[in-house]
């Protein structure tokens, strides 16, 4: 492969001139620049990005560490970060922790060694992540995404999930539901508990059952609904609030297979408003998070911190909104068993 010396030799210029064309083209006159670019094209020269980063002491790469790369919410968030990165001549790489704390720790350590420009982090547990990062002697700037870290030192971009849960509670209470099951993900996830707090705040005096699943996936949602309908009829919910849309879509799919009418027999509400929510077997009522805007804002904060390490590290909180579709409705007139018998 051709190297920078080959380019300089063919163009008849110094190594410094080639370097300026590659890194500081404004310092080179048009005639010399054209000769160097012609030599680069003729030789098929591709500069070594790792070597350039080592010399500069910093890359043009932003890393995004997410909980679940298969979740469309995170895909949209990453797309927002890429919008901002592209406008600043930076690239985005994605690391998937898959809900594994050891894997998350390994990603953060490796990214520090790779000298990335900065990290957008959606941690498994924000306190543990903040402690790990604080203990590192040298680390790139980090912005917490979809989380608010405990203690100062990190910018963050998140959503008011307590308010999101409250929106669902208000909807279900107004519809007359008495028994609600919250299909939750792992209890360690702050969003999961915040959404439950909001639901309870506006659903006082009514029964709320909580079912935890290990993975917030379509399969887990279907399995949860099957287990709920294995109960006696008087212990089955009138409504499900699922901690994300994937769980809710799984529940809708399972209900259709079991012949359970949604929302006539069972109302189902999700969270996130992913693209699949509107086109599910029954259009899903959900709480919309501005995922792409979260990614954009987080990347902007990261680049501001890179430009000025002494800059303020703000806490940005978006307000979610309720999107009402077919899957939610008024409570059935009687119990599920009575409804079917009639």
């Amino acid at each position: 492969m051709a190297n920078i010396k080959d380019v300089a030799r063919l163009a008849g210029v110094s190594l410094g001139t080639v370097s300026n064309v590659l890194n500081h083209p404004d310092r080179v006159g048009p005639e010399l620049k054209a000769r160097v670019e012609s030599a680069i094209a003729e030789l098929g020269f591709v500069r070594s990005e790792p070597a350039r980063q080592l010399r500069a002491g910093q890359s043009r790469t932003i890393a995004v560490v997410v909980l679940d790369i298969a979740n469309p919410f995170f895909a949209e968030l990453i797309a927002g970060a890429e919008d901002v990165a592209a406008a600043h001549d930076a690239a985005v790489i994605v690391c998937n922790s898959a809900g594994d704390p050891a894997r998350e720790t390994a990603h953060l350590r490796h990214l520090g060694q790779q000298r990335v420009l900065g990290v957008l982090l959606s941690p498994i547990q924000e306190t543990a992540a903040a402690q790990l990062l604080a203990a590192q002697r040298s680390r790139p700037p980090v912005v917490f995404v979809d989380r608010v870290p405990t203690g100062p030192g990190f910018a963050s971009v998140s959503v008011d999930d307590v308010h999101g849960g409250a929106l669902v509670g208000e909807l279900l209470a107004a519809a007359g539901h008495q028994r609600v099951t919250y299909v939750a993900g792992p209890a360690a996830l702050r969003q999961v508990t915040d959404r439950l707090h909001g639901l309870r705040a506006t659903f006082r005096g009514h029964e709320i059952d909580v079912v935890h699943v290990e993975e917030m996936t379509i399969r887990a949602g279907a399995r949860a609904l099957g287990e709920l309908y294995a109960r006696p009829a008087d212990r089955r919910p009138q409504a499900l609030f699922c901690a994300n849309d994937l769980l809710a879509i799984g529940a809708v799919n399972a209900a259709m297979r079991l012949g359970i009418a949604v929302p006539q027999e069972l109302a189902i509400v999700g969270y996130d408003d992913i693209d699949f929510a509107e086109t599910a077997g029954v259009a899903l009522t959900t709480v919309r998070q501005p995922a792409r805007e979260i990614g954009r804002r987080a990347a902007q904060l990261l680049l501001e911190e890179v430009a000025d390490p002494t800059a303020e590290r703000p806490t940005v909180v978006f307000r979610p909104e309720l999107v009402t579709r077919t899957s939610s409705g008024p409570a059935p007139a009687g119990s599920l068993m009575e409804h079917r018998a009639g």
Side-chain angles (χ1 to χ4, degrees), residues 117-244:
L117 192 64
V119 178
L120 305 182
L121 172 63
S122 181
I124 299 165
Q125 213 289 325
E126 54 268 33
T127 301
Q131 290 173 345
L132 171 65
L133 292 165
Q136 293 181 358
R137 290 185 179 180
S138 177
R139 62 169 175 82
V142 175
V143 173
F144 280 64
V145 182
D146 201 29
R147 294 291 194 286
V148 179
T150 54
F154 299 97
S156 67
V157 183
S158 63
V159 170
D160 185 348
D161 285 310
V162 174
H163 178 66
L167 292 174
V168 177
E170 290 169 357
L171 173 75
L172 298 180
H177 295 289
Q178 300 293 316
R179 300 189 307 276
V180 172
T181 293
Y182 178 50
V183 182
L189 296 180
R190 175 70 68 84
Q191 305 102 306
V192 168
T193 56
D194 281 354
R195 292 165 195 174
L196 177 58
H197 291 329
L199 175 66
R200 283 177 168 156
T202 53
F203 209 70
R204 292 191 183 96
H206 300 292
E207 181 182 345
I208 299 176
D209 181 29
V210 181
V211 175
H212 286 281
V213 296
E214 293 184 2
E215 297 179 343
M216 295 168 68
T217 63
I218 291 175
R219 182 175 299 177
R223 188 165 53 246
L225 185 128
E227 292 171 357
L228 288 168
Y229 270 74
R231 297 175 174 179
D234 61 354
R235 293 185 55 222
R236 297 171 188 167
Q238 295 174 321
L240 289 186
F241 173 30
C242 298
N244 75 358

